[in-house]
Amino acid sequence: MSSETLTIEEFQEIGKALRFLLMVAWLLPLAGFAVEIFAGYWGHRRSKMASFLAVGCIFIGFACSLGALIHWGTLTRWGHKTVAESQHHEGKSEGEGQTGILDAGKLPVEFVALADKPTAHKDADNDDHHTTSGGGHKDAHHEGEHHDDHHGPGTPAFSGGFYLLGSFGDIEIGLDYYIDSLTLIMFTMVTLIATCIHIFAIGYMSDELVEDYVDHHAHTSDGKHVHRPGRFYRFFAFMSLFCFSMLGLVLAGNIFQVFVFWELVGICSYLLIGFYTERKSASTAANKAFIMNRVGDFGFLIGLMVIVTYLGTFRFADHEVNGAAQPGLFTMIRGADGHIDLDQTVDVETGNDVNVVLLKGVDGETLTNANGKNRTIPYWLLIVAGLGVFGGCVGKSAQFPLQTWLPDAMEGPTPVSALVHSATMVAAGVYLAGRFFPMFTTEVLLTIAYIGCITLFVAATIAVVATDIKRVLAYSTISQLGYMMLAIGIGGWGAGLFHLVTHAFFKSLMFLASGSVIIGCHHEQEMPRMGGLWRKMPITAFTMLVGVIAISGLAIPGISIFGEKIAFSGYHSKDEIVATALAFMQMNEQHFLLFLVPLITAGITAFYMFRLWFYTFAGEPRDAELHSHVHETPWVMTTPLIILAVFAAGCAIGGTHGPLWLGLLNSEPIGLATGLTGQLSGIATPSHDAVHAVHSTAGMYALIVAATGAFVAYLLYGAGVIDPGDIKQQFVSLHTFLVEKWRFDELYDAMFVRPVHIVASWCVGVDRYVFDGLIHRTARTTIDVSRWDRKFDEGIIDGLVNLVGNAVFSAGRSLRVVQTGSLRQYIMFIAVGVLVLFVLLFAVFPS
Amino acid sequence: MFSDIQLTNYLLVGAFLFVCGVVCMTTKRNGIGILMGVELVLNGANINFIAFSRYTPLGLDGQIFSLFVIVLAAAEAAVALAIALNFYNNHLSIDVDRGDELQG
């Protein structure tokens, strides 16, 4: 074996280590949650114990994740090593291992890390067939094919199961894991950012450390402020649960498990957005977020049903069921070379030809069902499944048309906003779109691209006029998520996820910085009342500036140090997206909007982000009274800012030659590197080479546009050359339109809420006049009948009974005198009675 | 002359005794006297049993019956005397007319 390959044993060892480390990182926050949720009862409400516990859990999680990433990186040379062929394989060089055709009888063991997997034990225990063939089976574990067929040359993904929840026929549902470089990078990113946010939150939430918290934004019915116990511990408990859910989602090895954690993430965001539950706006925002996500999840469920009906499994990777190798979802659809096998068949009912997708097995062969026919899924249903799952991503990642919940989610405490907007909630949608990429057809990808394109433009324009500091950032998040979706949609898988990671750093940085501003300004969020804050809050101001430059994608052209451009992370990732879009446009000219819109929006992004910074930190104080009370926040809040600023500046170091990009690229779905072409739609995605060819051109365009945007912002808000008020006067209707958020809320109000109200009022009418009338009439009839019945009862039945009773009573009364109590009289009665009887006897029957 | 004695004679004696007993029970106010009347009634019945056992196919059954009656009469006398004692305890007399608490 050359140094470029790993032996199976080495590969298994790495898998075991990664599995253990990530499991610890994943489960620790859950353990933390379980303890913290009761901390308010165990301790007193002024204790910071819960926060230390939460920080400890997530920090150990970060250490484990980082350890796993480094372990994987060093042992696989950052994913460049492939796994050795077994000596039974001939005619295959190590470099092209992904062609993956197996010897007959050899089982693929993609899940090598599963050497101790429970299914294997179970099979050996209670299945005779496998007991007898067990020898060969075990050999397969050692000699079998270990090439991952989906992730290009390089180290395959590690997959397997933690725990089998249940099996229904051939469908197994369990807690699985799927670990590749994307999982590892996401784990490290999520835990690092979450650690910073947790530490920041210790400072931000410290006003909850009281027995009697007065909520100045919530009022009781008599107009007084709401008093309630502080909920410091509860906040950290929910944060821990949030991290656990997100990590579980990233680690998930099957789409069903993703869905479970998906919902957990949803409920955590609900709990945290509605943290100030006494405030009407907060509880409404929480409901809105939850309900909008349900709309998306409805699509997700449809996708899941299609998948399980036609593909019969939930797992991403190849696996074993009852000892037999089963292809995972990705193998079935994309096969070894990343292309979908199309076929035509005759529909039984309509007689028309329909396009179907042939499902492929672990060896790349076409799967057949019991009666020898090819197993297929209709092409349109594959599109439905893809659109359905993407519908879930639309809800979770706040894409058009379900974007309106995200700005309202600002009602939650700022650390929550930071977590939701960077590492957890909205990242989940993009992550799933990336993870599920092989299942998307080009039609679905085009939809994703256009949805992302609309979203990024709409949100960016709204951000331009927003005055609430957190809302600007919220719309900026939506816009950036649009970029990621667009990138994934046009085949820039790496670019999209690259941007996800860099964006997570600078957006969490900016949210925490805005939280710091809010605390420094004593819960003032309106930018028009700020201004000139940088003198009072230098650390916050300059870390924020790092974030602003990063998201704007500014760089210093022409100069490079050690061969590296002087640029922050956002420059590299946005550059890559714009370059992919340009290459995509060159291949599909009718979709030129997919390049122009993100390019222009890059300028808008730079404009509104610098507007935010100048508005808040530069210039003269606009509210002297507020300004005089402003103070820099304590170290517990500024330290996370500095850490995040370092990562926001440097996490993408090296750009497309840097470790982050190359690490992500290692997990790229097979076939993307050379470009995918939709057989039916004719849409082609650019290959890596095509993107690379236009990279510098696109980068230059993007930089010029961004610099222009930043410069305009400086003119308007920094230098004050032009008064923004004048421009507002000029375009007053446009301004109002943007301030009203493109009237989406009104639109949805008119489209859904009001029709529902109208239908509801009809229903009320029907209910009130028809059903209630009917019921009332029935009731009245019943009362009348009852009244008659009562008369009958009282008069006749009771009368009869009483008559008998009275008769008996009066008879008894009259007989009472006979009972004299005198013994001798009784004897007389007896004697006389006997005599009378005898006399009667003789009188009636004479002899 | 005793050979002339027929069943009727016995029955007449029994009836006489019975009537004596009944009259005794109705006329006596003394509890013990009433008890005596009861004995007379029972013995009147006994004479009937004996007579029927002597002059009819009833056989020994009548005599056995009368034996039972005697035993029962003894037991009844014991109970009745106990009642009389209690009666005396409550009323300082055994005049049965004094005991009319069961009047309706």
Side-chain angles (χ1 to χ4, degrees):
Chain A
M1 300 292 173
S2 76
S3 64
E4 287 301 302
T5 58
L6 293 163
T7 63
I8 304 308
E9 289 75 18
E10 285 170 341
F11 186 72
Q12 285 178 340
E13 284 304 313
I14 300 172
K16 276 183 195 165
L18 294 187
R19 174 186 177 209
F20 174 75
L21 285 171
L22 294 194
M23 190 176 73
V24 171
W26 169 46
L27 291 181
L28 261 182
L30 179 66
F33 164 75
V35 177
E36 291 150 19
I37 192 67
F38 294 111
Y41 306 106
W42 289 343
H44 56 84
R45 284 173 194 270
R46 282 191 287 279
S47 164
K48 285 191 177 177
M49 217 46 228
S51 64
F52 297 148
L53 194 62
V55 170
C57 285
I58 196 70
F59 182 75
I60 296 172
F62 167 63
C64 288
S65 309
L66 188 66
L69 182 65
I70 293 171
H71 184 70
W72 175 84
T74 46
L75 289 184
T76 66
R77 218 163 54 74
W78 299 99
H80 285 296
K81 287 190 182 179
T82 54
V83 175
E85 294 294 318
S86 92
Q87 58 269 41
H88 296 283
H89 279 288
E90 292 161 6
K92 277 169 69 182
S93 71
E94 287 148 3
E96 52 186 32
Q98 74 274 18
T99 48
I101 296 184
L102 295 181
D103 288 350
K106 289 282 182 286
L107 290 170
V109 191
E110 193 187 25
F111 32 78
V112 273
L114 247 192
D116 56 343
K117 64 182 176 297
T119 50
H121 292 306
K122 193 187 73 184
D123 294 340
D125 285 340
N126 50 12
D127 195 327
D128 286 336
H129 173 70
H130 286 291
T131 320
T132 50
S133 67
H137 199 82
K138 275 181 191 126
D139 283 346
H141 276 274
H142 294 295
E143 307 169 346
E145 173 57 68
H146 287 266
H147 279 286
D148 185 272
D149 292 345
H150 325 298
H151 293 94
T155 316
F158 306 88
S159 69
F162 286 117
Y163 184 72
L164 185 66
L165 291 172
S167 54
F168 312 93
D170 281 345
I171 302 172
E172 288 191 335
I173 293 177
L175 295 176
D176 301 335
Y177 58 88
Y178 186 90
I179 302 171
D180 58 5
S181 63
L182 175 63
T183 313
L184 290 165
I185 290 171
M186 285 293 287
F187 251 76
T188 313
M189 182 272 279
V190 170
T191 48
L192 172 60
I193 290 178
T195 307
C196 290
I197 291 173
H198 275 71
I199 294 171
F200 181 88
I202 297 176
Y204 191 91
M205 302 305 290
S206 56
D207 58 349
E208 292 275 352
L209 284 169
V210 286
E211 296 288 344
D212 181 39
Y213 181 88
V214 186
D215 194 333
H216 294 282
H217 297 273
H219 302 275
T220 54
S221 52
D222 54 356
K224 288 183 184 145
H225 292 313
V226 169
H227 288 250
R228 60 172 174 79
R231 299 192 195 124
F232 191 76
Y233 70 95
R234 189 192 289 188
F235 180 82
F236 282 94
F238 289 162
M239 292 282 271
S240 289
L241 187 64
F242 209 164
C243 294
F244 160 74
S245 314
M246 182 63 193
L247 293 177
L249 195 156
V250 174
L251 190 59
N254 63 58
I255 189 71
F256 186 80
Q257 192 184 352
V258 168
F259 186 71
V260 170
F261 284 99
W262 189 261
E263 296 302 318
L264 264 174
V265 169
I267 190 69
C268 289
S269 73
Y270 171 81
L271 293 171
L272 284 167
I273 292 168
F275 184 74
Y276 298 117
T277 179
E278 289 83 3
R279 301 180 189 169
K280 182 90 176 78
S281 55
S283 59
T284 315
N287 284 338
K288 191 172 177 182
F290 200 68
I291 292 166
M292 286 229 151
N293 270 292
R294 291 291 76 66
V295 176
D297 291 346
F298 184 63
F300 200 148
L301 271 178
I302 292 174
L304 282 191
M305 288 176 206
V306 172
I307 287 168
V308 79
T309 309
Y310 279 89
L311 274 61
T313 182
F314 285 124
R315 297 198 205 206
F316 295 140
D318 298 350
H319 55 279
E320 267 185 3
V321 174
N322 298 332
Q326 296 285 333
L329 295 178
F330 300 163
T331 312
M332 281 197 198
I333 298 296
R334 289 276 173 187
D337 56 355
H339 282 93
I340 295 174
D341 269 353
L342 274 182
D343 195 9
Q344 287 212 323
T345 187
V346 179
D347 191 281
V348 185
E349 286 169 17
T350 60
N352 297 330
D353 280 358
V354 289
N355 291 306
V356 293
V357 177
L358 299 174
L359 300 182
K360 282 171 274 200
V362 286
D363 302 346
E365 83 283 9
T366 304
L367 289 176
T368 53
N369 56 18
N371 49 19
K373 285 187 178 169
N374 286 337
R375 276 183 63 188
T376 56
I377 173 172
Y379 192 69
W380 68 274
L381 269 177
L382 190 60
I383 296 177
V384 167
L387 286 179
V389 173
F390 176 63
C393 302
V394 165
K396 196 66 74 189
S397 284
Q399 297 294 292
F400 173 84
L402 298 179
Q403 82 282 34
T404 57
W405 68 266
L406 193 58
D408 288 17
M410 295 298 99
E411 288 295 336
T414 308
V416 175
S417 308
L419 199 59
V420 164
H421 284 245
S422 58
T424 52
M425 180 95 173
V426 296
V430 180
Y431 170 80
L432 182 65
R435 174 60 84 212
F436 218 53
F437 190 88
M439 299 290 289
F440 294 143
T441 62
T442 44
E443 290 83 356
V444 177
L445 289 177
L446 194 67
T447 316
I448 295 176
Y450 270 104
I451 294 270
C453 184
I454 296 169
T455 310
L456 70 93
F457 182 70
V458 169
T461 51
I462 301 174
V464 168
V465 297
T467 53
D468 183 318
I469 185 167
K470 276 174 79 180
R471 281 186 189 265
V472 175
L473 293 175
Y475 282 110
S476 138
T477 304
I478 300 177
S479 178
Q480 300 303 309
L481 291 168
Y483 270 104
M484 298 168 207
M485 286 296 184
L486 171 88
I488 288 174
I490 57 178
W493 187 93
L497 291 165
F498 193 29
H499 198 55
L500 176 67
V501 175
T502 59
H503 170 261
F505 281 111
F506 54 69
K507 188 48 65 70
S508 57
L509 164 66
M510 285 193 286
F511 259 110
L512 293 190
S514 77
S516 176
V517 168
I518 291 165
I519 288 288
C521 295
H522 303 281
H523 291 280
E524 178 57 57
Q525 302 193 7
E526 282 296 314
M527 291 193 294
R529 295 193 60 199
M530 299 171 184
L533 294 183
W534 73 270
R535 289 184 203 87
K536 290 284 188 90
M537 320 181 76
I539 302 177
T540 306
F542 286 109
T543 49
M544 181 70 133
L545 187 60
V546 171
V548 167
I549 294 173
I551 193 176
S552 305
L554 291 187
I556 302 170
I559 308 172
S560 54
I561 302 173
F562 306 124
E564 297 293 337
K565 285 199 185 97
I566 304 175
F568 289 170
S569 60
Y571 169 79
H572 297 296
S573 54
K574 196 170 282 185
D575 228 26
E576 192 61 29
I577 294 176
V578 174
T580 313
L582 180 56
F584 184 79
M585 188 191 76
Q586 286 171 347
M587 299 173 78
N588 310 276
E589 293 194 342
Q590 70 275 34
H591 300 300
F592 63 94
L593 275 178
L594 292 181
F595 168 66
L596 285 183
V597 173
L599 184 67
I600 295 165
T601 308
I604 305 178
T605 307
F607 174 75
Y608 68 70
M609 289 318 301
F610 274 97
R611 167 179 176 269
L612 179 143
W613 196 86
F614 287 127
Y615 224 7
T616 311
F617 294 106
E620 291 305 311
R622 280 181 293 276
D623 188 331
E625 201 264 328
L626 179 74
H627 190 261
S628 61
H629 292 104
V630 171
H631 57 86
E632 180 62 283
T633 44
W635 64 268
V636 75
M637 295 167 80
T638 49
T639 315
L641 290 181
I642 296 167
I643 297 172
L644 284 175
V646 170
F647 278 94
C651 72
I653 191 156
T656 52
H657 308 289
L660 180 58
W661 170 257
L662 293 177
L664 279 173
L665 221 54
N666 187 247
S667 306
E668 187 175 51
I670 186 77
L672 263 180
T674 50
L676 294 173
T677 309
Q679 288 103 313
L680 296 179
S681 61
I683 299 162
T685 65
S687 66
H688 283 181
D689 292 338
V691 175
H692 191 71
V694 296
H695 198 279
S696 53
T697 323
M700 197 179 65
Y701 289 155
L703 187 57
I704 292 171
V705 173
T708 314
F711 183 66
V712 172
Y714 174 72
L715 287 184
L716 262 68
Y717 296 97
V721 178
I722 311 167
D723 184 6
D726 290 346
I727 301 175
K728 198 195 287 183
Q729 293 293 323
Q730 293 273 316
F731 302 101
V732 67
S733 61
L734 179 65
H735 181 260
T736 323
F737 180 64
L738 291 181
V739 167
E740 288 171 357
K741 310 163 201 165
W742 286 49
R743 312 226 168 128
F744 272 113
D745 282 332
E746 285 76 7
L747 181 69
Y748 292 160
D749 196 49
M751 274 170 68
F752 302 112
V753 180
R754 254 180 258 156
V756 167
H757 280 184
I758 291 168
V759 172
S761 63
W762 288 344
C763 291
V764 167
V766 170
D767 218 29
R768 186 165 292 160
Y769 297 110
V770 179
F771 289 114
D772 283 7
L774 208 64
I775 289 166
H776 286 162
R777 185 148 304 163
T778 315
R780 270 197 292 276
T781 316
T782 310
I783 288 173
D784 289 345
V785 169
S786 307
R787 202 164 277 150
W788 279 106
D789 189 37
R790 178 182 175 177
K791 278 186 183 144
F792 175 78
D793 226 25
E794 287 179 345
I796 297 176
I797 309 277
D798 285 8
L800 273 175
V801 171
N802 287 341
L803 201 66
V804 173
N806 288 338
V808 171
F809 189 76
S810 55
R813 173 171 301 202
S814 50
L815 279 175
R816 197 175 152 191
V817 291
V818 181
Q819 189 90 353
T820 58
S822 170
L823 186 58
R824 294 182 305 126
Q825 275 186 6
Y826 292 168
I827 297 169
M828 271 305 287
F829 289 154
I830 294 170
V832 172
V834 169
L835 271 181
V836 170
L837 277 177
F838 270 102
V839 169
L840 282 177
L841 197 64
F842 288 120
V844 178
F845 304 108
S847 323
Chain B
M1 75 183 265
F2 289 109
S3 59
D4 296 339
I5 297 172
Q6 297 301 310
L7 176 62
T8 318
N9 302 76
Y10 285 95
L11 295 184
L12 279 174
V13 174
F16 177 72
L17 273 179
F18 184 86
V19 171
C20 282
V22 169
V23 169
C24 179
M25 284 196 290
T26 51
T27 53
K28 288 285 178 184
R29 286 158 62 190
N30 190 323
I32 304 295
I34 290 175
L35 199 54
M36 289 170 170
V38 172
E39 295 299 327
L40 287 180
V41 168
L42 290 173
N43 284 322
N46 272 354
I47 287 174
N48 278 12
F49 277 124
I50 301 293
F52 283 123
S53 87
R54 172 74 178 74
Y55 291 98
T56 68
L58 191 62
L60 275 178
D61 290 0
Q63 304 197 17
I64 300 292
F65 260 107
S66 63
L67 274 176
F68 271 105
V69 171
I70 290 164
V71 172
L72 274 174
E76 178 247 325
V79 173
L81 282 173
I83 292 172
L85 271 177
N86 266 306
F87 193 91
Y88 183 80
N89 274 346
N90 287 328
H91 297 96
L92 294 178
S93 155
I94 48 172
D95 181 355
V96 291
D97 283 358
R98 301 276 293 277
D100 57 353
E101 286 90 347
L102 288 177
Q103 188 180 7

